[in-house]
Amino acid sequence: MTSLQLLTEPSSLCSSNFIPFNPLYKTLIKPTTKPYPKPSPIRSVLQYNRKPELAGDTPRVVVITSGKGGVGKTTTTANVGLSLARLGFSVVAIDADVGLRNLDLLLGLENRVNYTVVEVLNGDCRLDQALVRDKRWSNFELLCISKPRSKLPLGFGGKALVWLVDALKDRQEGCPDFILIDCPAGIDAGFITAITPANEAVLVTTPDITALRDADRVTGLLECDGIRDIKMIVNRVRTDLIRGEDMMSVLDVQEMLGLSLLGVIPEDSEVIRSTNRGFPLVLNKPPTLAGLAFEQAAWRLVEQDSMKAVMVEEEPKKRGFFSFFGG
């Protein structure tokens, strides 16, 4: 029986000079020939006394997708987006779910959305009028594609969203550091439209076979569209079910999909409370485990880093007095 231990993935751990650690005996395995050199420190350790270094060219257009509905795409977009804003980066979050938008609800901005992208394309308003600035963090802005229960014009597609991203790059206020696109569920026209302007993707999945099948299909579609930088967030992980072999471990998920791991989000009852209040997890004080996991995922996204899931041996269970009698 194995359990899960999460480590960031430095280059030194992958080399042959890594000294393996056996948690069962709490000792290091002694080398037989010559002593190994000490491994270099992990470069992706979260250091909250510094600002993460932004990697890549700006703006970084990231689509957050999954294929299956209900796995946490919108929750991830809201929490990762606000985490990036708290780190000092300018962020524009685009809710690309036509007619079923929910990102404004999770952010508590539903009463401030007066204009959408449809009005911008029709010439009814300017782009800056459709952008909703968060009062808590002024460097975070929300942009909705359409109003609830509305339909897009026939001419709206991937080219229109590419034009929208280009307009955000050229606006007078300056180019944002991140453009996060909350992708709708499924792989129909809405999915194709959302992934068209993106140059990297975050795939959100849960450790169940239905979500993994859809995630594998979406990975193939993203690669066919030319998106090679794909990272994965495993949501709603329960270690008690993993220990009881009732849920796949994160390492099993990573081996099935073959993607770099951006973050692991534990199951947290506070998610429902924060959703109903329109107050993202990362703003909670004191922070919850899921909120801290979202902040760590945002940190790795900034530096284009990843983490590694490692299987570790469990300590043997203590046998009681009645074990002699088969108890």
Side-chain angles (χ1 to χ4, degrees), residues 95-323:
D95 192 342
D97 199 343
V98 178
L100 294 174
R101 75 178 196 213
N102 294 313
L103 186 56
D104 55 335
L105 292 173
L106 270 67
L107 295 169
L109 303 176
E110 66 275 7
N111 295 326
R112 297 181 54 200
V113 180
N114 298 320
Y115 299 104
T116 63
V117 175
V118 174
E119 281 80 19
V120 175
L121 295 176
N122 292 334
D124 299 330
C125 69
R126 302 187 308 272
L127 178 60
D128 60 334
Q129 292 178 308
L131 287 166
V132 180
R133 190 180 300 273
D134 195 297
K135 293 182 178 179
R136 297 161 294 195
W137 295 92
S138 59
N139 52 344
F140 181 88
E141 295 173 298
L142 171 66
L143 181 61
C144 297
I145 294 292
S146 66
K147 295 181 178 179
R149 298 180 300 276
S150 65
K151 295 182 179 180
L152 282 179
L154 295 177
F156 188 89
K159 293 183 178 180
L161 200 56
V162 170
W163 173 87
L164 181 65
V165 171
D166 292 338
L168 291 173
K169 296 178 183 178
D170 300 333
R171 63 176 183 163
Q172 296 180 353
E173 292 81 358
C175 175
D177 297 318
F178 286 90
I179 299 177
L180 304 181
I181 303 176
D182 184 17
C183 183
I187 54 174
D188 53 2
F191 168 79
I192 301 299
T193 300
I195 69 173
T196 300
N199 46 39
E200 53 186 298
V202 174
L203 188 67
V204 183
T205 185
T206 53
D208 58 84
I209 56 175
T210 56
L212 292 178
R213 172 186 284 182
D214 294 349
D216 184 60
R217 173 63 175 159
V218 167
T219 302
L221 294 176
L222 292 173
E223 292 176 349
C224 290
D225 197 65
I227 301 176
R228 301 297 178 183
D229 188 0
I230 307 174
K231 292 184 175 62
M232 172 180 61
I233 288 181
V234 184
N235 194 19
R236 304 183 65 177
V237 175
R238 293 183 56 178
T239 54
D240 56 336
L241 294 181
I242 293 176
R243 292 192 189 101
E245 296 184 345
D246 295 321
M247 176 180 285
M248 283 183 290
S249 66
V250 179
L251 183 59
D252 295 334
V253 174
Q254 191 176 14
E255 289 178 350
M256 291 180 63
L257 297 179
L259 299 175
S260 300
L261 189 59
L262 185 65
V264 177
I265 314 299
E267 180 75 33
D268 196 340
S269 59
E270 191 64 27
V271 174
I272 299 178
R273 299 189 186 97
S274 66
T275 300
N276 293 333
R277 291 183 299 160
F279 197 80
L281 284 172
V282 295
L283 301 181
N284 281 6
K285 293 181 181 180
T288 63
L289 290 177
L292 291 174
F294 278 122
E295 289 184 348
Q296 294 171 4
W299 187 287
R300 298 185 190 98
L301 183 64
V302 171
E303 298 191 341
Q304 292 184 342
D305 208 342
S306 61
M307 61 186 297
K308 185 178 182 180
V310 181
M311 300 302 293
V312 180
E313 296 179 354
E314 276 191 350
E315 294 185 2
K317 296 182 179 179
K318 295 182 180 180
R319 300 177 63 85
F321 171 78
F322 294 99
S323 61

